Amino acid sequence: MKLHTISINNLKRRKAKMAFLTIGLMVGIATIVTLVTLTRSMSSDIERKMDEFGANILITPQSNGLAMNYGGISLGGVTFDQREILESDLAKIKTITNHKNISAVAPKVLGEVKIGTHNVLLVGVNFESELKMKQWWQVFGHEPKSEHDLLLGSEASKVLNVSPGESLTIKGETFTVAGVLDQTGSQDDALIFASLGKAQKLLGKEGKITLAEVAALCSGCPIGDMVTQIAEKLPDAKVSAIQQVVEGRLKTLDQFKRFSYAMAGVVVFIGSLIVFVTMMGSVNERTTEIGVFRAIGFRKSHIMRIILLEAALVSLLAGFLGYAVGMGGAKLALPFMAESKNAHLIWDTTVAFGSIGLALMLGVLASLYPALHASKMDPTEALRAL
């Protein structure tokens, strides 16, 4: 009789106990698969949502200033050696080592203009990159499509008393209000947005920008290194990271992962304990059977292989079932736990093979001592029970 036949027959005879072992290990694997899959899917969803929060690297002109104080009273300050950023220099950002981590660069030029009797702040932007970076903007009307289209903040629209489709005159040129932003609660509400090239001409700043925002965040992106790399490419600019935003986002992702790994560790321990106790009990119940095998010439290695093969078969079944149940659980839980309703479940073959491999490893390792214990049984002592 072959060893694998003996193992299979033993599993058939002890269906209830092996079913309990399979379910116990399956629950452990399913829990790990659910946690890991949820973590990856939620991290991907959070990462996508975080990209909507805008820039996390700010590029401004380098300048030197002198604060004036007299008698403990601040008299303001004087700025000298004011440098400017050339629009053409922004192309250098795409040449940094971590350029693949940059999702958008949004240059801006700012200046004051007079419309009627009101002084307002005009901001020239690249609408494609600006709208990509500020996805929380809600535009009433339509997005600007030509250089004579404007986008107004909600407060600016009220002050100037204009609505989408109406016209405004700025320095003798007529512009159409393409859209009005819904109230954002930020400085954007009081601004007038125009195309970058047209705003540069109106403000007399052709080829120059006031500042640039860079959206460059993904899981594990080296923000600090990217700031240094950009600063090296733009020596006349001040490059700084919005640390609170960056650290907050990365900590959120890290907390999900830590929770997942901690729970996985607990589940692995419990699953191993279930396998160990069940296999140890099975060995103790089969003392007579093992004694007979030893008496008819089975070696210690044969006994160990029979026990370990049983554990391997059960573990493989538990691994397959655990992966299927875990993915099903993750699919049901994701809509309740993700931040957006459009979160997608991540199907990863690594998780599939990993769960089956983990189940097999747990089953075999937890059964190693019971198998060793069974192989060391004295056949004469075992046969006394007959």
Side-chain angles (χ1 to χ4, degrees), residues 196-212:
L196 182 62
K198 179 57 69 174
Q200 287 172 332
K201 291 180 181 179
L202 292 173
L203 299 173
K205 298 180 179 180
E206 288 88 343
K208 300 175 183 178
I209 64 170
T210 306
L211 59 92

Side-chain angles (χ1 to χ4, degrees), residues 53-314:
F53 293 161
N56 46 56
I57 297 178
L58 185 64
I59 303 173
T60 55
Q62 192 76 263
S63 64
N64 293 317
L66 179 64
M68 293 190 297
N69 294 279
Y70 183 81
I73 301 174
S74 176
L75 302 176
V78 176
T79 300
F80 57 91
D81 191 23
Q82 177 75 41
R83 304 177 188 178
E84 294 180 324
I85 303 174
L86 298 178
E87 184 181 355
S88 57
D89 289 340
L90 294 182
K92 298 177 182 178
I93 297 176
K94 297 292 185 179
T95 64
I96 66 173
T97 305
N98 294 97
H99 66 276
K100 293 183 179 180
N101 297 133
I102 296 176
S103 60
V105 178
K108 295 176 177 61
V109 62
L110 284 72
E112 184 182 1
V113 294
K114 191 168 186 177
I115 301 178
T117 59
H118 301 282
N119 291 323
V120 295
L121 186 61
L122 179 69
V123 183
V125 299
N126 183 322
F127 282 111
E128 183 180 356
S129 58
E130 196 73 18
L131 292 169
K132 178 181 179 180
M133 187 174 293
K134 297 181 178 178
Q135 297 182 28
W136 66 87
W137 275 2
Q138 293 184 6
V139 180
F140 294 100
H142 63 83
E143 298 174 0
K145 298 179 180 178
S146 71
E147 64 175 12
H148 282 88
D149 285 348
L150 298 177
L151 184 63
L152 271 61
S154 58
E155 291 298 322
S157 174
K158 292 178 183 178
V159 169
L160 298 174
N161 194 26
V162 290
S163 301
E166 297 183 3
S167 299
L168 284 176
T169 301
I170 304 176
K171 293 189 175 183
E173 291 195 45
T174 302
F175 294 85
T176 301
V177 178
V180 175
L181 292 177
D182 189 15
Q183 188 171 3
T184 63
S186 67
Q187 72 275 7
D188 294 345
D189 294 337
L191 303 179
I192 295 179
F193 297 91
S195 65
L196 182 62
K198 179 57 69 174
Q200 287 172 332
K201 291 180 181 179
L202 292 173
L203 299 173
K205 298 180 179 180
E206 288 88 343
K208 300 175 183 178
I209 64 170
T210 306
L211 59 92
E213 294 178 305
V214 179
L217 183 69
C218 59
S219 179
C221 285
I223 300 297
D225 292 342
M226 294 175 67
V227 168
T228 302
Q229 293 166 15
I230 295 175
E232 291 175 352
K233 296 293 183 179
L234 304 175
D236 292 333
K238 179 182 178 182
V239 185
S240 56
I242 306 174
Q243 295 293 340
Q244 292 180 344
V245 177
V246 175
E247 292 176 3
R249 296 175 187 180
L250 294 179
K251 283 181 180 178
T252 302
L253 293 176
D254 192 49
Q255 285 174 355
F256 278 115
K257 292 179 182 178
R258 288 184 180 182
F259 172 76
S260 174
Y261 295 152
M263 290 298 296
V266 172
V267 171
V268 165
F269 174 75
I270 294 174
S272 302
L273 195 61
I274 291 174
V275 174
F276 174 79
V277 172
T278 305
M279 294 305 294
M280 199 66 190
S282 176
V283 168
N284 291 333
E285 289 178 0
R286 295 159 60 186
T287 302
T288 303
E289 177 185 327
I290 293 171
V292 171
F293 286 150
R294 294 285 284 124
I296 61 177
F298 275 57
R299 298 176 182 176
K300 292 182 178 180
S301 60
H302 293 154
I303 302 299
M304 287 191 67
R305 286 165 61 184
I306 291 172
I307 303 298
L308 292 177
L309 185 56
E310 292 177 15
L313 293 174
V314 171

